[in-house]
């Protein structure tokens, strides 16, 4: 929840074999090998890249019963689509936008300065568009690009490995979404009369985090602990910080509190690892289900989610806010119920069902915490 490269002219993509790791949601940049020419701005890919990407995709397509809604949301069970704009939307995975949008709401609530005026509502909507469609959409497209080889194993019918969208179109989409998000971030700083462009630098930092999460040489997602925590922080901390900085002051205690809350985000991120075990193992990616096995990893996952929230409730109780603490504890109970009903039974089969059932209670808990800190 980026003052980018210099003036770009030609963006070349190479080393397909080096970029073989899985995609997941983080907040924000792409950069490949950049070279400068004098006049024109073109984005082009080496021919072998496109050929190799297509060659990776086996002759597998989604079921005939694939859902058009799943295709538009960018989740499993998607129908195969030829409309280019629907494919572009699929790459941005709209199903991942709501947590970022909600994070902005929590930050605005925590600031204590949001008012239901036309101006404040308009500013918050602009911040949501920046965090969700633009920068999360950018991140998801970037992740799919760097994960094209692993997707060719796990989900070969996805747009990039199946060849449904060209290399140039993917790279153009990455840059357009990134630059749009950064433009909105700068605009919000001007709109809020910030002396220091806090929102822009948060967007820039999130963009850098996104890039090093997915791309060589760092590829944070190679490590299940570091990568998943970075992912959790990008979904919980960054949009909260942006919303609070937009309407008030981002204080150190809130930074620490939200980073601790991001441990729950780490648990949520692990849920997405179970469906990719085969590809992760084949490409040497040390996700927690690969490193610890399915049984141990699913308990690590729910432990991170539940213990974090219980600890936050304890913090609120100690801070003299018992009603907020009790409300948060009440929201943990249904999450535990769905963990035993779905996730612990079969984390691969029920991953989407579990997240759809349990996560609304987790994000409501975030709002409870935000309201508690605003008083």
């Amino acid at each position: 929840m980026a003052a980018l490269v210099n003036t770009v002219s030609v963006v070349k993509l190479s080393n397909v074999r080096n970029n073989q790791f899985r995609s997941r949601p983080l907040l924000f940049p792409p950069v490949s090998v950049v070279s400068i020419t004098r006049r024109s701005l073109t984005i082009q890919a080496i021919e072998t890249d496109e050929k190799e990407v297509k060659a990776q995709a086996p002759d597998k397509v989604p079921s005939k019963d694939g859902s058009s809604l799943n295709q538009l949301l960018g989740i499993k069970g998607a129908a195969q689509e030829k409309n280019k704009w629907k494919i572009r939307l699929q790459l941005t995975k709209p199903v991942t936008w709501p947590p970022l949008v909600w994070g902005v709401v929590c930050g605005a609530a925590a600031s204590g300065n949001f008012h239901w005026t036309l101006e404040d509502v308009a500013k918050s909507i602009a911040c949501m568009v920046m965090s969700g469609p633009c920068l999360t959409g950018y991140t998801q497209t970037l992740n799919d690009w760097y994960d094209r080889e692993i997707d060719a194993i796990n989900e070969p019918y996805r747009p990039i490995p199946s060849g449904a969208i060209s290399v140039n179109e993917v790279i153009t989409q990455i840059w357009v979404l990134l630059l749009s998000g950064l433009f909105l971030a700068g605009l919000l700083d001007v709109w809020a009369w910030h002396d220091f462009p806090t929102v822009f630098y948060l967007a820039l930092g999130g963009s850098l985090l996104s890039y090093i999460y997915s791309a060589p040489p760092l590829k944070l997602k190679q490590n299940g602990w570091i990568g998943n925590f970075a992912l959790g922080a990008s979904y919980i901390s960054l949009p909260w910080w942006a919303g609070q900085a937009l309407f008030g002051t981002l204080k150190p205690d809130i930074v620490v509190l939200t980073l601790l809350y991001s441990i729950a985000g780490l648990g949520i991120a692990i849920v997405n690892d179970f469906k990719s075990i085969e590809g992760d193992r084949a490409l040497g990616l040390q996700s927690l289900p690969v490193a610890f096995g399915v049984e141990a990893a699913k308990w690590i996952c729910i432990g991170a989610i539940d213990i974090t929230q219980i600890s936050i409730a304890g913090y609120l109780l100690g801070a003299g806010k018992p009603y907020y603490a009790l409300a948060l504890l009440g929201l943990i109970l249904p999450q535990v119920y769905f963990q035993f009903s779905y996730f612990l039974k079969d984390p691969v089969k029920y991953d989407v069902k579990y997240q759809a059932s349990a996560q609304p209670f987790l994000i409501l808990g975030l709002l409870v915490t935000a309201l508690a800190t605003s008083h």
Side-chain angles (χ1 to χ4, degrees):
M1 110 192 195
L4 287 164
V5 199
N6 316 313
T7 304
V8 179
S9 298
V10 181
V11 176
K12 288 187 178 180
L13 301 171
S14 58
N15 300 326
V16 170
R17 295 289 177 190
N18 291 332
N19 300 326
Q20 48 188 7
F21 292 94
R22 187 180 76 263
S23 139
R24 283 204 320 262
L26 245 210
L27 248 174
F28 319 94
V31 237
S32 296
V33 179
V34 178
S35 62
I36 307 292
T37 64
R38 281 190 161 173
R39 301 197 173 157
S40 60
L41 167 60
T42 56
I43 300 175
Q44 65 183 85
I46 298 174
E47 287 182 10
T48 52
D49 276 349
E50 189 166 7
K51 290 177 182 175
E52 286 192 49
V53 169
K54 290 182 179 177
Q56 294 296 322
D59 295 328
K60 258 167 108 178
V61 295
S63 160
K64 291 180 180 178
D65 299 326
S67 165
S68 296
L69 177 61
N70 287 14
Q71 187 272 328
L72 293 175
L73 293 176
I75 59 178
K76 289 192 304 184
Q80 201 162 29
E81 183 59 65
K82 292 183 180 179
N83 182 290
K84 202 54 69 77
W85 287 105
K86 289 184 179 180
I87 291 171
R88 288 186 180 280
L89 183 63
Q90 181 181 357
L91 282 175
T92 67
K93 292 192 183 75
V95 75
T96 64
W97 301 351
L100 283 296
V101 170
W102 191 256
V104 173
V105 171
C106 292
S111 73
N113 292 321
F114 175 84
H115 304 287
W116 288 100
T117 64
L118 182 60
E119 182 179 9
D120 280 4
V121 170
K123 280 196 287 189
S124 64
I125 291 173
C127 193
M128 291 172 188
V129 172
M130 174 200 75
S131 299
C134 291
L135 292 178
T136 305
Y138 144 74
T139 296
Q140 293 297 341
T141 308
L142 173 72
N143 283 328
D144 265 25
W145 170 252
Y146 279 111
D147 292 349
R148 58 198 183 277
E149 291 194 0
I150 203 166
D151 282 345
I153 297 171
N154 294 321
E155 299 176 90
Y157 47 80
R158 285 197 60 77
I160 296 175
S162 69
I165 187 167
S166 73
V167 169
N168 283 353
E169 288 170 326
V170 174
I171 299 305
T172 300
Q173 176 164 319
I174 289 170
W175 281 104
V176 167
L177 290 172
L178 175 62
L179 294 174
S180 298
L182 293 172
F183 171 78
L184 273 175
L187 179 64
L188 286 169
D189 281 315
V190 173
W191 198 348
W193 296 92
H194 286 164
D195 294 327
F196 181 82
T198 310
V199 178
F200 177 81
Y201 278 106
L202 285 172
L204 179 60
S207 300
L208 176 61
L209 181 61
S210 259
Y211 178 69
I212 65 175
Y213 171 83
S214 297
L218 294 180
K219 290 190 187 111
L220 296 183
K221 62 185 173 184
Q222 292 180 94
N223 183 297
W225 294 106
I226 297 173
N228 283 329
F229 182 75
L231 186 62
S234 73
Y235 273 86
I236 292 177
S237 298
L238 282 171
W240 180 318
W241 296 349
Q244 185 155 356
L246 181 61
F247 292 102
T249 303
L250 185 58
K251 298 178 181 178
D253 59 332
I254 292 296
V255 171
V256 173
L257 180 66
T258 51
L259 285 175
L260 290 175
Y261 223 129
S262 296
I263 297 173
L266 178 150
I268 295 169
I270 296 171
V271 175
N272 295 313
D273 290 336
F274 288 93
K275 68 177 182 291
S276 305
I277 293 174
E278 180 186 351
D280 290 351
R281 188 176 286 124
L283 295 176
L285 183 63
Q286 287 299 301
S287 65
L288 296 187
V290 170
F292 292 95
V294 171
E295 285 302 310
K298 67 186 184 183
W299 285 101
I300 293 171
C301 175
I302 66 168
I305 294 170
D306 296 346
I307 293 171
T308 299
Q309 293 179 91
I310 292 170
S311 300
I312 297 294
Y315 163 78
L316 295 178
L317 186 62
K321 299 175 181 180
Y323 296 113
Y324 290 103
L326 286 173
L328 183 54
L329 286 173
L331 290 167
I332 296 170
L333 294 177
Q335 295 177 60
V336 173
Y337 170 78
F338 289 122
Q339 286 162 2
F340 280 91
S341 297
Y342 299 127
F343 185 70
L344 290 174
K345 285 183 178 178
D346 190 335
V348 177
K349 181 179 179 180
Y350 294 118
D351 61 334
V352 174
K353 197 167 187 178
Y354 162 68
Q355 292 191 75
S357 302
Q359 283 194 24
F361 296 97
L362 184 142
I363 63 175
L364 282 173
L366 275 172
L367 182 58
V368 167
T369 306
L371 291 170
T373 61
S374 70
H375 292 87

